[in-house]
Amino acid sequence: MSASRLTRRRAITLAGAGVAGVAGVAAGAGALVGDSRGPAAASDHPAGAVPFFGEHQAGIVTPAQDRLHFVAFDVITKDRARLVEMLEEWSAAAARMTAGRDAGVLGAVGGMPEAPPDDTGEALGLPPSQLTLTVGFGPTLFRDADGRDRFGIADRRPAALAELPKFPGDALQAPISGGDLCVQACANDPQVAVHAIRNLARIGMGVVSVRWSQLGFGRTSSTSRDQATARNLFGFKDGTANLKAEETDRLRDQLWVQPGDGPDWMTGGSYLVTRKIRMLVETWDRTSLAEQEEIVGRTKGSGAPLGRSKEFDEPDFAARGDDGKPLIPEHAHVALAHPSRNNGAHLLRRGYNFVDGSDGLGRLDAGLFFIAYQRDPRRQFVPIQTQLARHDVMNEYLRHVSSGLFACPPGVRDGGDHWGRALFG
Amino acid sequence: MRTTRFFALAAAGVLATAGVTACSDSTKDEAGAAGGPIVVKATDTACEVGTTDLGAGTANFKITNSGAKVTEFYVYASGDRVMGEVENIAPGLSRELHVELPAGTYETACKPGMSGKGIRGALKVSGSAQPLTADAALAGATDNYQRYVKSQTDALLEKTEEFVGAVKAGDVAKAKTLYPVARTYWERIEPVAEIFGDLDPKIDGREEVIEEGMEFTGFHRIEKDLWQSGDVSKDGPIADRLLVDVKEIVAKANAEKLSPLQLANGAKELLDEVASGKITGEEDRYSHTDLWDFAANLEGSKAALSALRPALEQRSPELVKQLVTEFANVEAQLGKHRDGDGWKLHTALSKAELKELSDGINALAEPISKVAAVVAK
């Protein structure tokens, strides 16, 4: 009895401070309140915690988790101070949630009975599940459609954050594209990812408004050599040749923004491209195995490049069959996307499968939520996608319905730092 | 144990001595601090206030609108903080405003046409009145809101009688005009009405919430006939029944005194009503007059918070500031959709316009959801 009264009293004092809008309280006071979701396990355990603070944001080279909740926001306030305050509050909440704690200081059940809890509660009792939260800033945060400098940061917009060109065949839907801010939540438990996004959206009410969001399952890439390659909804291994966390030199060249690349606030960050790609799975499923493999350029079973025997064998584009034709057709997906055809450009992909139910015609509303990080989209995603959009035979089975481009700043260093500090500072 | 904790907290609250002055006795304020109503003569171009120098305490303004436009009267503290307001004063009518004013400088404003900054005048309040403890401020809130409920239920009864009359006379056009007007008064005080479980669905139930064996009656039943078939010839008994139910709820509502916590929660629930039923157009699915209800819910929410304002000012001025900002934001957003004296139809708004309103309501409802805890502190 006395223990619970003590907790309650402390909770009320903290609630009073919270009303005054002191965001900093969240980080400091966290230690006072018991961890309601149990201690974090080792970071390599699927249920464990991934460190939030660091040089780079977590959720980029972090071994791809199984589940995704991605959300894009519009900023609806004109008040720069409110936006920065929200980013501070988000960072404090993210540090807590990625450690497996509640979003707020009081928690889902620690506050006053008369007040709505500062955590929504659906993750109570769940472990951190390797939750990572990764934030990005869209081009429209810097200037709106009318060219207005919205928050006095237009001159800090990196040249690499240039709007993507319209690719042939794009069927983009504006309401599910773009956004001023994005948050990528990845976790091994969908409930943990959804909980994180829901709480950030709530903290942001009045400052940001959810523009669109996407749930994903079944990672379609591996970002570490320890991970087996997963399959996409076409049934093929995806991400065999992906950039991996272990390739430090290549990550420096291809993934992380380097000093001198653009404005300093992006150094150590990365550019994120998202594409929602609807897959017409019913027609794909009626395609012969041989044709499917020719379209992809790999065998469906092992994932080996056509003409080779093991998954990680290098594709041999010169190899020809008995009929004199290339074993990997010139317009196969793997050929068009290969670095050798794109000035050595690589991407770090960490996309997810999605199924948004059915489309009313009895077809699965399904596909790939493509996510790619890179040092400069103008030299990486844009040329690769241009090739694919023009020539990829797979396009017959694909529709690009949403597109997003975001500048993901470097990592949050410690409790005194927050997302966007260098940009707005 | 809840009660024990509550008392302990109330005692703590007294330590935070109140700076706000007011009169806690609701029966006495007819006289007002200055000894009688301050006469305000409002026209379309002028706003003459009887005196611009007052003693601290409860001021009682009597506003007479001799202009041609519907007007409003406000008393603002610095930064356009609303101390008191009367809305919808029709041409030729008089309305009273009781407002508690501690010493300070204020502005009065008439708003002919109910828009813009209005015709402003200075108001000085000096001296001091009995300081209140935190609890008296809450008691005052209850009294204050009770007066609001009285004014709204009077109008609800009057407008429902007119509506019922038009339905029974088969005057479809007139009934359609009166439908959103009568509902306005209902929607402003809906959380009070919801206390009386079985009456709310009888008066305001929608077709899908009516249980097996229960009859579909009330506003929405008549709404359906008015807009769908245009035939209300068989609705006489339904209309009579509506009036009986409204009379009953009016009597009950005036006998009920809401606790400050109920007030705080009522203010939030009104916005939840907007967020769940009005934004989507579910509520008035035949007439599409949802924006009338939206505006009324917003006004009702504001009235409940205005009643709590003296207590909130003492306990959390930051929160009050946030509420004032967000109310102004939603009012500005909603203001874009005015249509004459009323509101555009829900169907006339684009998806982007509805999303803007939804964002505004969310931005307001977040701080409002914190009010109950501040009141309970």
Side-chain angles (χ1 to χ4, degrees), chain A residues 273-304:
Chain A
V273 172
T274 67
R275 306 281 287 183
K276 182 172 181 175
I277 305 170
R278 170 91 188 261
M279 289 173 162
L280 305 177
V281 294
E282 288 81 3
T283 45
W284 176 264
D285 294 344
R286 288 195 282 269
T287 307
S288 73
L289 178 62
E291 191 179 340
Q292 289 182 2
E293 292 184 334
E294 278 177 19
I295 289 171
V296 175
R298 289 180 180 275
T299 56
K300 201 168 187 176
S302 68

Side-chain angles (χ1 to χ4, degrees), chain A residues 120-140:
Chain A
T120 52
E122 72 272 31
L124 274 180
L126 296 178
S129 309
Q130 290 189 334
L131 171 69
T132 55
L133 292 164
T134 315
V135 156
F137 304 124
T140 48

Side-chain angles (χ1 to χ4, degrees), chain B residues 168-361:
Chain B
K168 291 178 74 177
D171 190 341
V172 170
K174 191 177 174 194
K176 279 180 163 181
T177 315
L178 284 165
Y179 170 81
V181 178
R183 290 182 53 75
T184 291
Y185 302 101
W186 166 266
E187 291 287 337
R188 282 183 185 152
I189 54 160
E190 200 172 355
V192 188
E194 281 176 348
I195 296 173
F196 315 108
D198 55 333
L199 276 169
D200 183 32
K202 282 185 190 169
I203 295 170
D204 196 33
R206 280 169 277 163
E207 199 165 4
E208 75 278 7
V209 302
I210 305 302
E211 284 178 41
E212 186 90 30
M214 199 178 148
E215 202 187 346
F216 178 32
T217 62
F219 279 117
H220 293 301
R221 163 69 192 269
I222 300 173
E223 178 202 5
K224 185 179 179 182
D225 293 339
L226 281 172
W227 271 273
Q228 222 172 38
S229 64
D231 177 11
V232 288
S233 60
K234 293 186 189 71
D235 283 357
I238 301 281
D240 285 335
R241 171 81 175 278
L242 173 65
L243 191 56
V244 169
D245 290 337
V246 164
K247 276 182 178 162
E248 191 183 339
I249 212 158
V250 164
K252 283 188 170 172
N254 283 301
E256 183 81 15
K257 213 168 187 180
L258 259 59
S259 75
L261 265 184
Q262 280 176 308
L263 267 184
N265 287 321
K268 183 188 77 76
E269 282 159 19
L270 280 163
L271 296 187
D272 291 346
E273 285 269 330
V274 174
S276 50
K278 273 76 177 190
I279 287 284
T280 57
E282 278 173 85
E283 174 92 26
D284 295 298
R285 66 189 59 162
Y286 309 108
S287 64
H288 307 302
T289 54
D290 301 270
L291 255 56
W292 291 72
D293 292 10
F294 184 129
N297 285 155
L298 194 64
E299 286 155 2
S301 182
K302 200 174 174 184
L305 285 170
S306 296
L308 289 168
R309 186 186 295 258
L312 294 178
E313 285 281 7
Q314 292 164 20
R315 291 152 182 243
S316 183
E318 273 297 316
L319 180 59
V320 173
K321 222 171 99 185
Q322 209 183 343
L323 291 173
V324 169
T325 309
E326 298 299 352
F327 262 116
N329 181 39
V330 182
E331 283 164 353
Q333 288 169 353
L334 186 61
K336 295 180 199 167
H337 308 299
R338 273 201 176 277
D339 182 17
D341 288 341
W343 300 94
K344 283 183 198 162
L345 297 184
H346 182 273
T347 44
L349 268 61
S350 70
K351 208 171 169 188
E353 287 168 328
L354 290 169
K355 179 149 190 274
E356 185 189 58
L357 289 172
S358 175
D359 287 339
I361 285 295

